[in-house]
Amino acid sequence: MPKTPNLSVEIGGLILKNPVITASGTFGYGNELNQLINLSSLGAIIVKGLSLEPMPGNPPPRIVETPCGILNSIGLANVGIKAFIKEKLPALHKIKTPIIANIYGHSMSEYAKITKIIEDTEKIAALEVNISCPNVEKGGMAFGTDSYTAAKVTEHVKKNTTKPVIVKLTPNVTDITSIAVAVESAGAQALSVTNTILGMAVDVPTRKPKLANIIGGLSGPAIKPLALYLVYKVANRVKIPVIGLGGIMNYEDALEFLIVGATAIQIGTATFVNPKTAIEVVDGLHNYCLRKKIHTINQITGSLKEYGESNEKS
Ligand SMILES: Cc1cc2nc3c(=O)[nH]c(=O)nc-3n(C[C@H](O)[C@H](O)[C@H](O)COP(=O)(O)O)c2cc1C
């Protein structure tokens, strides 16, 4: 009998039964896909981005399909942290999978306030801090594009929680590693790499932007090579675990991210194409490890070979 591979991974003290996590904004408030998949089979669920107050988001159209991807300008529409805890979270109580809250604030103090509310909420296992939204306190500059502010947000969150803090980085910067290092020094226990890449699309007959907001964030297979490169760069600079995401459609894509240094991965846009993708990736990784006689999935993380090394397949 072949030994069942151990797919579990650790993210800032949180043990996940496997490295497959659903990405924020692509899996609703967690319970919407309950009828279609067994949520307890997932490594973790990251819910829609939550703010202190409810947010209507941007006007439609706010999603448009592009070759190999989608552009979205949802604008972080959500019910607000209090309504989430009261109205949405109870549906997840029986699910045996850690629930991670993705949070964002318009100011440092908003990040701190949301964090305090979550600290008292037992069912939320960890926080993923989105630092790529506009910083109104600093005149619209994004928190995540500046090392100093990125570190300050991290400190504000860390000060107010005992739960693991994952910081989600934006790819829309010149040097992602300097932000990653600053956030790590400020106490982040893991990094998610990466959020969407800024983009736009134009309808030629009307010469209008396809998104009412003009610009949006590109996701899906179109961004996978860039996301993979960013994960590779970041994982080689920091000691904390990196969670890789961007265009993962199947278990082989997931393996690429693990090989370049990710400890875990997230499934985002792929869920819109096939709601069962995350579960299929769990099964695919399990079967791959069985086939290759890999006892623990951690053996794959950072196993990228150099070009000169033997071409023996593994
Ligand atoms: C419709 C949509 C909504 C999203 N909302 C959020 C969000 O609320 N918070 C966040 O951190 N990322 C959000 N994202 C970004 C995804 O979590 C993910 O980082 C990105 O889409 C890249 O992964 P993918 O190519 O696998 O989708 C959103 C993405 C999409 C497509």
Side-chain angles (χ1 to χ4, degrees), residues 101-257:
N102 176 284
I103 62 160
Y104 81 97
H106 296 99
S107 63
M108 301 279 173
S109 66
E110 264 191 35
Y111 276 101
K113 282 181 191 158
I114 305 170
T115 305
K116 278 185 198 156
I117 296 171
I118 290 174
E119 182 60 7
D120 296 330
T121 310
E122 207 188 319
K123 184 62 189 167
I124 298 179
L127 291 94
E128 183 182 60
V129 186
N130 181 0
I131 53 167
S132 38
C133 64
N135 172 1
V136 287
E137 265 184 3
K138 288 195 79 185
M141 191 178 68
F143 283 117
T145 56
D146 176 82
S147 299
Y148 178 79
T149 36
K152 280 279 161 226
V153 174
T154 310
E155 280 171 19
H156 272 70
V157 172
K158 279 291 295 175
K159 248 190 275 171
N160 289 292
T161 188
T162 54
K163 298 179 195 266
V165 172
I166 304 161
V167 177
K168 186 164 178 180
L169 303 185
T170 170
N172 303 306
V173 290
T174 311
D175 177 18
I176 197 169
T177 56
S178 57
I179 315 264
V181 167
V183 163
E184 179 183 42
S185 306
Q189 283 131 303
L191 301 171
S192 293
V193 180
T194 175
N195 213 317
T196 54
I197 295 165
L198 289 175
M200 63 186 288
V202 174
D203 178 61
V204 171
T206 58
R207 298 197 187 183
K208 285 184 180 168
K210 288 189 176 172
L211 292 170
N213 191 50
I214 306 176
I215 54 166
L218 183 64
S219 63
I223 73 167
K224 198 190 87 181
L226 176 66
L228 202 57
Y229 157 73
L230 294 177
V231 169
Y232 171 72
K233 270 184 80 170
V234 171
N236 277 296
R237 277 301 294 279
V238 297
K239 294 194 179 67
I240 52 178
V242 175
I243 306 172
L245 77 157
I248 298 177
M249 300 301 284
N250 51 49
Y251 83 92
E252 280 157 315
D253 291 342
L255 282 170
E256 286 191 63
F257 278 81

Side-chain angles (χ1 to χ4, degrees), residues 59-60 71 79 101 122 168 179 216 228 239 287 297 304-305 309:
L71 271 171
V79 296
E122 207 188 319
K168 186 164 178 180
I179 315 264
L228 202 57
K239 294 194 179 67
N287 293 337
I297 194 103
L304 186 71
K305 290 186 180 176
E309 281 183 58

